[in-house]
Amino acid sequence: MDFYCAALRLVIEVDGEYHASPEAQARDAERTKILEGYGLRVIRFTDEQVLKELEGVCAVLMGLAEDPPSCDR
């Protein structure tokens, strides 16, 4: 994982070109499933989104911060 916010139980992944291959996507999906099994939320952005659409990325993250998970999630 690239970033983790314990208060929000949020994993943030920033995926580069490597993640575009079918094999990498399958590994990413499996890892996401495992992390979600621990009660974590996983969100993915591409490198390009972070570099070219940072305001939109921040807006998504702020929206998640406004909807924190409860202790029983």
Side-chain angles (χ1 to χ4, degrees):
M1 68 184 77
D2 295 301
F3 302 96
Y4 176 65
C5 176
L8 297 176
R9 301 184 56 82
L10 178 65
V11 173
I12 303 168
E13 295 275 9
V14 180
D15 296 339
E17 288 183 34
Y18 162 81
H19 294 270
S21 74
E23 297 84 10
Q25 289 179 357
R27 284 191 300 272
D28 288 344
E30 181 63 25
R31 186 172 58 227
T32 295
K33 183 178 175 182
I34 291 167
L35 292 168
E36 289 174 343
Y38 290 120
L40 303 175
R41 296 189 290 179
V42 179
I43 188 162
R44 293 182 175 280
F45 299 101
T46 65
D47 287 347
E48 194 163 314
Q49 286 175 300
V50 172
L51 292 172
K52 295 183 178 179
E53 304 168 25
L54 185 58
E55 285 186 32
V57 169
C58 290
V60 170
L61 294 173
M62 291 301 293
L64 292 172
E66 292 172 0
D67 182 29
S70 65
C71 293
D72 60 349
R73 277 195 201 174

